[in-house]
Amino acid sequence: MADDATAVQADSPEALRYNRIRRWLGVADFMAGFTFLIVLLGTGWSGWLRDLAYRLGSQNYSLSLFMYLLLLLVISKALGIGLDYYGFSLEHRFKLSTQRFRSWVWDEVKGFLVGLVLGAVVVEVLYFTLRQWPQHWWILAWALFMGLFIVMAQLAPVVLFPIFYKFEPLENEDLRRRLVVLSERAGTRVRGVYRWKLSEKSKKANAALTGLGATRRIILADTLLDNYTGEEIEAVLAHELGHHVHRHILKSIFVQTAVTLFGFWAANWTLHYAVDRHLFDFDELSDFANLPLLALVSVVLSFLLMPALNAYSRFNERQADRYAFESIASVEPFISSMNKLAEQNLAERTPSKWVEWFFHSHPAVSRRLAAAQEWGRKHTDPEV
Ligand SMILES: [Zn+2]
């Protein structure tokens, strides 16, 4: 609980309802995916789809593997489109969206194609290594996968994000000057700040640090830039700069590297176990009808690791917040920007402990505000 001196604004019934439905939507989505994979394996439909893929792919292994992936993605999209649409209409129901139905459909199409391309690269690499090195494939697959991951982290701001949103360099002189001062004080340089045209789709506001090396940049939603004061935006910039100074993207990649290595090891173990005991109708490692089993390992692991990865993310967020407190003249604009963001995004300010522990990548707004107030008290009081 926050202390008495801190008047924490209570969550509106609307915010509570919105966040509860969103969480259930997430759980339903996870359960649907999980069930789909279990059914594919348990019924032998995966083997049937593999045979169909071989016919479609003229018996060529790589082409048939692609066809198999395509069939799998089409079926899962068809099964999941109802939940996706529910998510779209939920944002409208709570007046958080400005996106038209047509634009949403177009995003769904683009999202599907991006998933297909990235998925195809991953599965082709996976089964190439599986065929060549049945015992140690997972180490090489892991190295190749991480290489791809790093390339994608670098390309995302210039290739991936622009598929869905427009970005343009920030042309506000006042803000540019503020950023230069902040950066100089930090002894670092961020290569760019971009205006992110989020307003075309949403009323929510957001900001992020993205990219690697030459593509490293801070993106600020226009919904934030147009409605917040210079001081408030500076506070948000300072937080994002905190992520940059503390090298959070690089550190997260290292964490990802370790998690992925364990994931590939577990996938290899599971695959050998299933094949050796003839649990399903695939008797070879390279039989891609076992892809749902690999996906299942990854889904279960991400679920189990979610609290730990979220805790790590919250630790980074607290560090970025502290960096912001130190770099701005007063914590007041930080506090008012947090309040505005919570209101605008219909965020839950005081989620229950376990909800925060399991689901939240950011500390609860109430905690972030309390930390800012605490810092303000310690550093602005004239000689206590
Ligand atoms: Zn952050």
Side-chain angles (χ1 to χ4, degrees), residues 29 90 222 230 236 252 277 354 376:
D29 197 47
L90 183 70
D222 54 356
V236 174
S252 299
R277 281 163 212 242
W354 79 267

Side-chain angles (χ1 to χ4, degrees), residues 239-240 243 317 320 362 368:
H239 170 93
E240 299 307 334
H243 284 306
E317 295 301 333
H362 288 62
R368 297 178 76 177

